[in-house]
Structure formats: C-alpha cells, structure tokens
C-alpha cells in the first residue's frame, strides 16, 4: 500500500511538498476546519475592526517581503499570515460602516459557494464541458430575468463584472446597428461615426467600452441631466438630431438604472420611446441599481425595462455576492450569437440534442469561465427573494434616514437627492454658510473651491480614522462626501455614528 504521507510519490526530498499538491482527504478536513474557524472569527469581529487600516504601502510591502518559495510552507503558517497580516492590514468591505464606492459585503453562504466552485473547478464554456453548471447558470439567469421583469425569451450569462457586461452589450449593439460588417471588416469599414448617448452621470465603463470597440470615446455624447441627475430627454433628442444633421449615425442610448455617483435612475420608458423613434439600441446599465427591483418601493421604476435590448447587472453589488460576478442579458439571443460566434475545431459542438449544443462562448467574449452561477444560485436559493428585498429596502431606508439627518443639521448640506442608497453631502461650517448665502459669481465660486478642499481633507481624515468610511463624487462640479449603503449589516444607528464621526473629523480638520 502506498505511503499516504507522500501520496506514494517517493521522489527523494520532495515527498512532503508533493503531498501538499495531492492533499489527503483527512489533511483537507483539517485545513478546511482551521480555515472555517478563521473565517468565523472574521465574521464575529468585523463590526469591531477598523474599517480602514492604519498602515502604509511600505509597511505592507515589508511584511510580505518573502523570496519565491522553493519549498512549501505549512498551511497553518499561511493561515496565521492571513489572520495576523492580511486581515488587519485590509479595508473591510463587509464592515457595516464601509460606505465607499459600491462594494458588496459578501455573505457566508457565497463564501462557501466559492470554495465549492473551486473544488469542482468546472469549465463553464458549454453544456458539453459543464453539464450541471450550464443548467444552473441558465436557471439562475432565468431567475434574474424574473426579478427585473425581463423578456422570458432573453438570454444571458455571468461575466466578471459590470464593466465586462457593458462591453459585451455594446459589442452586440455595434455589430447589429453598424452599416457594415464590423466583425469581419473592422471599424474602418464604416462610412460615418457611430454615436452613443448616455447621461453625463453614466459610468466610465461605457466610455472605455466605446474606446475598446473602435467606436471611439469621442463618439460618446454626454447628455445633460435634470434636477434629480437623471438623463434629460429633450437634450437627448437634441443631440441625436444634431448628429443626424452632421452626418453621424446615432446607434445606441444607454440608460443608467442607478448611477455610480448619486444613484440617479434614468426614466426607462421615455428613453425607450426615444430609442424606438430613432431606431437606436437601448442598453440599460443596471450594474448598481438592478436588484433594487426586489424592493417593493422601487419595483415600479423597472416597469419598462423589458423594452431594453440589453441589460448589465452586477450580482457582486446589490445581491450581496462576493467578487466577482457580473451579468449581461440580451433580449434577442440571435444578436449576441451574431456578435460572438466564431468557429474553430476545438469549439465545434458535437452533440445529439439542441440543448446540448449550447455554448456560452456564443454570448460573450470569454471562453474558459468559472462556475459563477453556483454562488448566485446558492444565494437566491438559501436566502430567497423576500429577505433580499427587505434587506435592499432597509439599505434604501438607511440612506433616506441619513438624508433627513443632514437636512435638519446646521453644518452639513445634501448635494443630491437620495434615489436609491447613495447619499452625497458636504460640510459647510456655519460661518461659511452665511458667507456663501450672500456671495455670488466669482466670490461664490471661490468659497465653493475652499469647501471642496475642506471636504476632501475631511474624507481623507475620516478614512484614516477607521470608524466610518466614505468615498467621493463630484456633483454639479462640487466635491461631495459620498456614501453607498449596500450592506445587510448596516443599521440606522450606524448612520447616526457616521454623522457623528464625520462631524467630529470635520470640526478637527477645520480648526487645524
Ligand atoms: C453604474 C455602474 N456601471 C458599471 C460599473 C462597473 O462595474 P464593475 O466594477 O463590476 O466592473 C459600476 C461600478 O461601480 C457602476 O456603478
């Protein structure tokens, strides 16, 4: 019988290391239970940890300064490194007062799902390569269509995130609307510039996609926004008309279902009307706001999303999933196939039934893909849409409560209305408030610039302080302290602590 301590591989001197490659089930049980204990402790402590570590890049570099390992280390040592260096030196997206950017906290069930995904290590390229995984992805995509109220004939797939979903959708839009075969002949075969329209609040990944696809970032027209920072339909049609007059080809309008800066939600119905009138592809970037469809108070905003030609969503945002998991949906699956299908002998599907001929590579840019659907499927199956809807509603309520606190305060002001769960505000000390009220023109601009600088310092100091974390946005040219509530752990008390923290830091910074 083979010696299990070396897995029967007795190449002299490397027995132990090769055993680490081909771990015995008992060793795996020991390693996994140690790791589970580390994770459980992390979850237990997360509320008490500083949101952001007091450290520097130099310090972290020094702590991890190790030579390329020739011989392996004991797993317990690596776990200790995780607990003693990686955890304390990290920013904690799962902390209830981490309000920066749009960062999901992750959940326990999806952390386990990620481990199971890696253990099975399915290659989710096609039905043939990932029989059950392919089916779970199709079921889960179907559930997401039901959540937002999309066409049941639509198809889609999971990708790395919202940026990749936007890129894939715009690739399809361009392929379908181009006046030449751009897939074969390239963008140089076009006789006129193809123009995209998106509000000035839209996400940079749309502009990046335009640059990458040869559409050109200069051909993305930024449309004005209304008082709620939503796309202004009159300006949209004006820009389209202008472009037609100039000999360009308007081909795509992007509506944002929750902008990254302020959470503004563009009017989907009116945007769809414009898209239909000018024969434009309508894409909805619902990367942030898409799962707000689960919240009863926001459901009606999605009423006409079914008219979109494509939609980007990000389960790794408001479905509380860990990175990475984005999702792209296409109303007409044939349009996606026309864009992404390419033949090669190794991708030739030899199958008996139609379902078995299905291949994800016909719907997106990637070939090898991990089993992302498992964590979405486990999350939805384990938690259910009702509890998720309540958690999302609670996040919106926290943001609204913060808006109320700001509105009744004397030393802060809101810079944008709360539409979903993002809030943008700034500190305006009383003495500056009265100065600003009396100023106009260049004088008001000068005071605002001082406030921009002051609030930027407040943000930096608040991040260093470690109790609460905000990031920033620019709202109508002004620097805003910006927070996004996207964590089921966050309570209304956390919103009060955030305000106290910000005020404490603001008073300290403004007297320095
Ligand atoms: C509206 C919007 N679109 C796209 C993205 C890009 O998503 P990802 O970071 O998953 O690539 C974001 C990210 O915050 C976003 O808020």
């Amino acid at each position: 019988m083979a010696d299990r301590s070396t897995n029967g591989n007795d190449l002299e001197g490397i027995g132990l290391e090769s055993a680490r490659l081909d771990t015995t089930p008992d060793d795996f049980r020991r390693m996994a239970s140690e790791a589970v204990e580390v994770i459980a402790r992390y979850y237990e402590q997360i509320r008490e940890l500083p949101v952001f570590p007091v450290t520097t890049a130099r310090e972290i570099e020094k702590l991890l300064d190790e030579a390329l390992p020739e011989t392996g280390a004991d797993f317990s040592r690596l776990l200790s490194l995780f607990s003693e260096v990686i955890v304390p030196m990290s920013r904690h997206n799962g902390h209830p007062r981490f309000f920066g950017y749009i960062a999901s906290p992750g959940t326990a069930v999806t952390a386990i799902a990620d481990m199971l995904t890696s253990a099975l290590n399915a290659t989710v390229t096609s039905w043939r390569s990932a029989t059950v995984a392919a089916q779970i992805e199709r079921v889960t995509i179907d559930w997401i269509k039901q959540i937002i109220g999309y066409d049941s004939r639509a198809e889609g797939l999971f990708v790395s995130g919202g940026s990749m979903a936007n890129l894939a959708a715009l690739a399809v839009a361009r392929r379908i609307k181009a006046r030449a075969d751009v897939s074969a002949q390239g963008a140089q075969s076009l006789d006129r510039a193809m123009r995209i329209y998106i509000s000035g609040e839209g996400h940079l990944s749309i502009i990046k996609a335009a640059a990458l696809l040869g559409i050109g970032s200069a051909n993305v027209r930024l449309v004005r926004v209304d008082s709620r920072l939503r796309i202004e339909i009159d300006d949209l049609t004006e820009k389209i008309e202008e472009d037609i007059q100039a000999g360009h080809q308007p081909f795509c309008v992007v509506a944002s279902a929750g902008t990254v800066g302020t959470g503004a939600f563009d009017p989907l119905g009116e945007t769809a009307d414009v898209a239909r009138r000018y024969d434009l592809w309508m894409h909805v970037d619902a990367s942030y706001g898409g799962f707000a469809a689960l919240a009863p108070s926001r459901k009606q905003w999605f009423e006409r999303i079914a008219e979109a030609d494509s939609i980007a969503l990000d389960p790794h945002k408001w479905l509380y999933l860990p990175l990475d998991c984005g999702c792209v949906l296409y109303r007409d699956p044939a349009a996606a196939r026309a864009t992404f299908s390419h033949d090669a002998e190794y991708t030739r599907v030899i199958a008996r039934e139609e379902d078995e001929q299905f291949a994800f590579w016909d719907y997106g840019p990637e070939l090898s893909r991990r089993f992302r659907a498992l964590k979405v499927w486990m999350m939805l199956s384990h938690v259910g849409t009702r509890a998720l809807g309540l958690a999302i509603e609670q996040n919106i309520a926290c943001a609204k409560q913060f808006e109320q606190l700001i509105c009744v305060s004397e030393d802060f002001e809101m810079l944008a209305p709360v539409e979903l769960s993002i809030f943008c505000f700034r500190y305006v000390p009383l003495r500056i408030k009265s100065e600003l009220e009396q100023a106009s023109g260049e004088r008001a601009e000068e005071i605002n610039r001082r406030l921009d600088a002051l609030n930027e310092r407040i943000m930096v100091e608040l991040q260093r302080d470690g109790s609460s974390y905000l990031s920033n946005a620019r709202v109508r040219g002004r620097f805003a302290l910006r927070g996004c509530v996207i964590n089921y752990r966050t309570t209304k008390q956390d919103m009060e602590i955030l305000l106290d923290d910000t005020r404490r830091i603001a008073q300290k910074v403004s007297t320095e």
Side-chain angles (χ1 to χ4, degrees):
M1 189 169 185
D3 171 3
R4 293 302 287 156
S5 68
T6 61
N7 280 7
N9 182 346
D10 49 19
L11 275 179
E12 218 174 315
I14 63 160
L16 190 59
E17 283 79 30
S18 61
R20 284 182 181 138
L21 262 184
D22 191 8
T23 313
T24 66
D26 277 345
D27 278 349
F28 174 73
R29 282 189 188 94
R30 184 184 50 76
M31 290 158 70
S33 41
E34 279 176 33
V36 165
E37 185 48 38
V38 166
I39 299 169
R41 242 183 294 132
Y42 179 61
Y43 288 152
E44 233 159 42
Q45 292 169 350
I46 195 154
R47 187 171 262 286
E48 314 312 324
L49 292 170
V51 188
F52 194 80
V54 184
T55 188
T56 61
R58 278 296 278 281
E59 188 187 5
I60 294 177
E61 192 184 334
K62 266 201 203 143
L63 285 167
L64 296 173
D65 185 21
E66 293 193 19
L68 170 68
E70 196 181 329
T71 56
D74 192 52
F75 183 68
S76 303
R77 185 178 161 255
L78 302 180
L79 268 186
S80 304
L81 201 73
F82 183 84
S83 300
E84 286 154 27
V85 177
I86 298 178
V87 170
M89 295 292 166
S90 289
R91 187 189 84 187
H92 302 291
N93 291 354
H95 190 290
R97 286 191 303 284
F98 178 76
F99 298 105
Y101 318 102
I102 306 181
S104 149
T107 62
V109 72
T110 50
I112 295 169
D114 261 347
M115 187 163 98
L116 297 173
T117 293
S118 293
L120 186 66
N121 197 26
T123 313
V124 194
T125 51
S126 60
W127 187 89
R128 173 185 57 173
S129 299
T131 48
V132 190
Q135 182 56 21
I136 288 183
E137 182 150 349
R138 296 179 84 181
V139 168
T140 315
I141 290 286
D142 198 53
W143 287 349
I144 290 178
K145 289 187 301 192
Q146 291 178 44
I147 287 172
I148 56 168
Y150 205 35
D151 195 322
S152 61
R153 288 159 301 180
E155 287 201 26
L157 76 171
F158 294 113
V159 291
S160 59
S163 302
M164 187 54 96
N166 283 333
L167 177 72
L170 290 195
V172 179
R174 186 190 67 150
R175 171 71 179 77
I176 298 304
K177 296 294 184 185
R179 292 154 55 93
D181 179 358
V182 281
S183 292
Q185 306 302 328
Q188 61 271 34
S189 60
L190 298 171
D191 60 351
R192 57 192 69 184
M194 295 182 76
R195 303 284 244 189
I196 301 181
Y197 306 84
I198 184 169
S199 93
E201 297 288 311
H203 196 260
L204 67 88
S205 57
I206 296 292
I207 296 167
K208 203 174 190 177
L212 289 172
L213 291 167
I215 294 164
S217 54
N219 288 311
V220 181
R221 305 252 6 228
L222 300 182
V223 179
R224 270 204 311 268
V225 289
D226 65 14
S227 58
R228 289 169 63 185
L229 296 126
R230 303 173 309 168
I231 196 164
E232 220 183 64
I233 297 297
D234 287 348
D235 191 48
L236 170 64
T237 43
E238 246 168 61
K239 286 196 159 63
I240 294 170
E241 289 287 349
E242 245 172 55
D243 283 351
I244 294 171
Q245 289 299 316
H248 303 315
Q249 187 202 348
F251 85 101
C252 176
V253 60
V254 178
S256 304
T259 58
V260 66
T262 67
F265 202 103
D266 290 340
L268 301 184
E270 287 170 65
T271 313
D273 292 339
V274 174
R276 190 163 315 113
R277 184 162 2 128
Y278 291 99
D279 189 27
L280 309 185
W281 182 277
M282 176 169 161
H283 174 63
V284 177
D285 181 4
S287 299
Y288 159 49
F291 292 101
L294 284 167
S297 70
R298 295 298 182 273
K299 181 75 190 166
Q300 77 275 16
W301 291 8
F302 291 81
E303 241 164 36
R304 289 182 61 190
I305 201 165
E307 293 169 50
D309 294 294
S310 55
I311 305 175
L313 294 120
D314 241 352
H316 72 205
K317 292 191 167 64
W318 224 346
L319 206 55
Y320 307 117
L321 251 61
L323 298 161
D324 62 11
C325 190
C327 171
V328 57
L329 303 174
Y330 314 102
R331 191 151 53 100
D332 176 11
R337 285 195 296 274
T339 310
F340 294 112
S341 290
H342 288 278
D343 293 333
E345 184 54 27
Y346 46 85
T347 56
R348 191 159 65 88
V349 176
I350 304 162
R352 289 179 302 263
E353 292 177 30
E354 203 187 317
D355 268 1
E356 295 174 18
Q357 289 169 19
F358 181 84
F360 287 103
W361 64 68
D362 287 337
Y363 296 88
E366 296 169 317
L367 182 58
S368 298
R369 301 160 62 244
R370 73 191 253 106
F371 187 4
R372 293 189 181 103
L374 185 68
K375 58 184 166 187
V376 189
W377 184 75
M378 283 203 166
M379 181 71 182
L380 287 167
S381 305
H382 182 65
V383 181
T385 53
R386 196 178 322 151
L388 282 164
L390 285 174
I392 292 167
E393 202 71 87
Q394 170 72 13
N395 293 162
I396 296 170
C398 281
K400 281 276 176 199
Q401 183 219 2
F402 192 76
E403 183 180 44
Q404 285 299 313
L405 293 174
I406 294 298
C407 289
V408 298
S409 77
E410 292 194 321
D411 45 356
F412 288 94
E413 65 181 16
M414 289 300 290
L415 289 177
V418 169
E419 302 282 345
L420 291 169
S421 67
I422 293 178
F423 49 91
C424 288
F425 67 111
R426 67 175 176 176
Y427 179 62
V428 188
L430 274 177
R431 65 193 153 77
I432 300 189
K433 199 171 244 175
S434 50
E435 237 186 291
L436 190 60
E437 273 160 14
Q438 283 153 29
S440 60
E442 186 43 43
R443 174 82 189 118
E445 182 53 32
E446 194 258 324
I447 298 172
N448 273 315
R449 275 200 297 269
R450 265 163 48 207
L451 284 173
D452 287 350
L454 173 62
N455 279 277
E456 192 167 329
R457 275 171 48 219
I458 293 169
M459 183 193 72
V460 171
E461 285 306 316
L462 181 77
Q463 291 176 353
R464 282 195 193 137
D465 178 70
S467 172
S468 299
Y469 192 107
L470 293 170
S471 58
N472 55 299
R474 207 154 270 278
V475 182
R476 294 194 186 85
R478 298 280 60 105
F479 181 93
L481 297 167
R482 173 195 166 284
C484 176
V485 191
I486 193 164
N487 187 340
Y488 48 86
R489 294 187 181 104
T490 305
T491 63
K492 292 195 170 173
Q493 200 193 352
D494 286 310
M495 307 314 294
E496 287 165 12
I497 298 174
L498 167 67
L499 184 55
D500 289 347
D501 286 341
T502 315
R503 181 173 282 128
R504 173 172 51 82
I505 300 290
Q507 286 170 352
K508 182 176 140 231
V509 166
S510 40
T511 53
E512 274 170 7

